[in-house]
Amino acid sequence: MAQNIYDDPGFFHGYSQLRRSQEGLAGAPEWPALRAMLPALRGLRVLDLGCGYGWFCRWAQEQGARQVQGIDVSARMLERARQLTSTGDIVYTQADLETVELPHARFDLVYSSLAFHYIEDLPRLLAKVHGALVPGAALVFSIEHPIYMAPSHPGWRVDERGQKTWPLHAYQVEGPRTTEWLAKGVLKYHRTLGTVLNALIHTGFDLRHVDEWGPSAAQLAAQPELAEERERPMMLLVSARR
């Protein structure tokens, strides 16, 4: 079973204070790049894995998706999603992505934002997603970048000149990483970039676009605090087709 850290009261409170929690997709700096990787949603059947507050589910419905479902392991996150959703057309379901079963050939798009790095058996989940998509359908997702996840003690190192560097060690040692982020003992699973992309290929997906995300010049002008995100990639964005 995947760790359900989002139902921890302290973690959930801390998460609720994040800009992306309060502002939704507009508060996620990687959203413009992710949005550019999406197909036109009008008339599509959409599944959001790790839907959280349901921001993407509601956006997909606004774009004309004819069916939207969000799945999350956290009861607290789903409760908040339902509170923020004014229509009953979006289906929110509580399920563990480690063991979830998905209907065959049901969806035109599967989307996931910053959830797959919590999954130990990613090949199993990708196989379920592949089977749930119709031929030609899209999988678009983001995860923490392997370079960001690799350190057992992540955090910037600052030298005497004030230059920031990100410590990269044990990159080739894949497996669990227990970190402190909003709470102690947050469990994630590190995989190399090659492992992530090859898992998609071996499942039968056709890779369309890979983005080791960093802020654009316009984003830096509007949010100078994003400058450190050019020192190392924090997120990996991937678009693939069934």
Side-chain angles (χ1 to χ4, degrees):
M1 178 178 179
Q3 182 188 49
N4 188 4
I5 193 67
Y6 285 82
D7 273 349
D8 176 87
F11 186 97
F12 185 80
H13 174 74
Y15 184 82
S16 70
Q17 306 307 305
L18 299 179
R19 183 179 177 186
R20 66 178 60 233
S21 298
Q22 298 181 349
E23 299 180 18
L25 300 177
E30 77 280 10
W31 169 240
L34 264 177
R35 183 178 57 202
M37 298 163 72
L38 293 167
L41 269 63
R42 181 162 298 279
L44 298 192
R45 297 163 296 175
V46 176
L47 176 64
D48 183 357
L49 296 177
C51 64
Y53 282 17
W55 294 111
F56 179 78
C57 289
R58 291 186 292 278
W59 181 83
Q61 187 179 64
E62 292 169 0
Q63 301 306 302
R66 66 182 173 96
Q67 177 185 322
V68 181
Q69 181 179 358
I71 294 178
D72 204 284
V73 71
S74 167
R76 288 179 181 269
M77 298 291 270
L78 291 174
E79 179 182 14
R80 185 64 176 142
R82 293 185 179 104
Q83 290 172 350
L84 292 169
T85 303
S86 58
T87 174
D89 295 340
I90 299 174
V91 176
Y92 292 113
T93 306
Q94 186 175 11
D96 182 355
L97 297 186
E98 289 280 13
T99 57
V100 68
E101 296 292 338
L102 300 175
H104 179 69
R106 178 70 61 84
F107 300 101
D108 306 295
L109 168 68
V110 172
Y111 172 89
S112 183
S113 173
L114 300 176
F116 286 0
H117 52 259
Y118 293 112
I119 304 304
E120 181 177 14
D121 193 352
L122 184 60
R124 178 195 183 276
L125 179 58
L126 291 177
K128 294 297 179 181
V129 170
H130 189 272
L133 290 167
V134 299
L139 167 63
V140 177
F141 69 91
S142 66
I143 59 171
E144 290 185 356
H145 195 286
I147 285 177
Y148 179 80
M149 288 191 64
S152 55
H153 300 286
W156 292 106
R157 302 292 186 266
V158 184
D159 65 19
E160 65 278 2
R161 297 171 297 170
Q163 177 65 48
K164 287 184 175 181
T165 57
W166 189 259
L168 183 61
H169 54 84
Y171 180 81
Q172 297 286 356
V173 182
E174 300 182 313
R177 296 288 194 273
T178 302
T179 62
E180 184 172 336
W181 179 65
L182 303 179
K184 293 182 178 180
V186 179
L187 180 61
K188 304 172 184 178
Y189 292 92
H190 165 64
R191 301 172 179 88
T192 67
L193 179 62
T195 293
V196 173
L197 299 183
N198 285 327
L200 289 159
I201 294 169
H202 294 159
T203 304
F205 284 102
D206 177 17
L207 293 175
R208 292 302 181 93
H209 190 76
V210 177
D211 185 351
E212 297 178 284
W213 181 83
S216 66
Q219 286 178 312
L220 284 177
Q223 297 176 257
E225 67 274 15
L226 290 176
E228 68 179 17
E229 301 305 336
R230 286 195 162 183
E231 298 297 327
R232 55 92 181 94
M234 181 181 182
M235 283 173 275
L236 177 68
L237 318 182
V238 180
S239 171
R241 294 277 177 170
R242 187 204 185 288

